[in-house]
Amino acid sequence: MPEPTTPPDRALQALSDSMGGARMRRPEDAADPAIPVAATVVLLRDGDDGVEVLMIERPDRGSFAGAWVFPGGRVEDGDREVAGGTEEDVARRAGVRETHEETGLELDGDALVTLSCWDPPPGIALRIRTWFFVARAAAGELALSADEVVTAAWLRPSDALARHGRGGFTLYPPTWVTLHGLAEHPDPESVLGAARLGGVQRFETVARRGGGGPLLLWEGDDEWDAEAAGAASGSRHRLEIEALPWRYTRSG
């Protein structure tokens, strides 16, 4: 796969542009019914040098213009037609549908393991609460949607992160952090086993401007909760995105 030539860090620019309205979190933010819901599916396969993940490049337009993402999209009315079920259940149906529409791959919803739920910083212009699911790739050839996908590639997570770190390979923070976690695993079964054992990871995001630039904080970081910030313990759960390569820290 040739080295990408897209100008670097649209994701950083988009976040920086939207941070003016960002505020501290309130208890009701994580379940705000006014926020659109989406799903994304992390498809895995065994590669010659370890686990590989399917990534697709978005067209040069829209809210994720030119970014490399996992297949997925917003929940639609049809995904809610089944009576009952939680938001997670509805998102799972959306993930199956969107993956088929974008890649042509058929998935069994029961095979999707919930990996995480991402809630964007409150106060920014565009907020979409997104459920991430992980599954082994289905058999079959890719049939990419011309309207939604420029190209696709099976990549080792560490290779995708390295390309981003060199510039010109646009990733958004949830994708970056997910790839960072996947890079620790040798094969799909290890990823799936860890997801089942660990349960759903909740990323309720707070955006801050640090001394060097934008920071994204999650629960477990001393600066995530304004009320607890005075009792600093040195605990960190953050992504520093002011410069490439990005730096993820989780401690304490």
Side-chain angles (χ1 to χ4, degrees):
M1 178 181 173
E3 200 70 20
T5 58
T6 308
D9 256 327
R10 294 181 177 186
L12 175 57
Q13 186 62 54
L15 180 60
S16 296
D17 291 345
S18 67
M19 280 184 64
R23 58 169 173 79
M24 295 303 299
R25 298 194 69 87
R26 300 168 184 154
E28 64 270 20
D29 284 327
D32 186 346
I35 298 173
V37 176
T40 193
V41 180
V42 183
L43 292 176
L44 309 170
R45 75 176 187 183
D46 290 297
D48 293 338
D49 297 310
V51 65
E52 294 179 342
V53 61
L54 180 63
M55 302 197 70
I56 60 176
E57 184 183 13
R58 291 296 186 205
D60 197 18
R61 63 181 185 275
S63 55
F64 296 99
W68 284 82
V69 299
F70 308 117
R74 294 196 192 194
V75 166
E76 297 180 356
D77 290 342
D79 303 317
R80 299 187 176 92
E81 289 179 355
V82 178
T86 63
E87 180 179 284
E88 180 181 348
D89 296 328
V90 172
R92 179 178 282 103
R93 289 192 287 272
V96 170
R97 175 186 53 75
E98 287 282 348
T99 298
H100 181 254
E101 290 175 1
E102 293 179 348
T103 71
L105 298 177
E106 296 276 1
L107 297 177
D108 178 357
D110 292 336
L112 271 60
V113 179
T114 310
L115 183 65
S116 57
C117 183
W118 289 79
D119 193 69
I124 66 172
L126 177 63
R127 294 188 67 205
I128 303 174
R129 185 164 55 250
T130 305
W131 292 83
F132 278 57
F133 302 94
V134 65
R136 266 195 172 273
E141 296 294 324
L142 293 177
L144 303 180
S145 167
D147 292 334
E148 299 180 274
V149 182
V150 174
T151 189
W154 288 96
L155 299 171
R156 292 193 310 163
S158 58
D159 290 341
L161 292 173
R163 287 175 180 270
H164 176 264
R166 293 193 294 268
F169 191 78
T170 300
L171 297 174
Y172 276 76
T175 309
W176 193 101
V177 173
T178 300
L179 288 167
H180 185 273
L182 295 174
E184 302 173 356
H185 295 278
D187 53 52
E189 289 310 312
S190 174
V191 176
L192 293 166
R196 293 187 184 102
L197 184 63
V200 181
Q201 300 178 68
R202 301 275 177 174
F203 289 86
E204 297 178 8
T205 311
V206 169
R208 294 270 188 87
R209 289 194 182 276
L215 295 173
L216 299 181
L217 309 174
W218 297 287
E219 188 171 12
D221 194 289
D222 286 342
E223 298 181 34
W224 178 77
D225 185 344
E227 294 181 2
S233 65
S235 180
R236 293 286 180 266
H237 188 193
R238 61 179 57 188
L239 183 64
E240 300 173 66
I241 61 175
E242 71 275 9
L244 296 174
W246 290 356
R247 296 184 298 280
Y248 180 67
T249 307
R250 188 167 193 173
S251 63

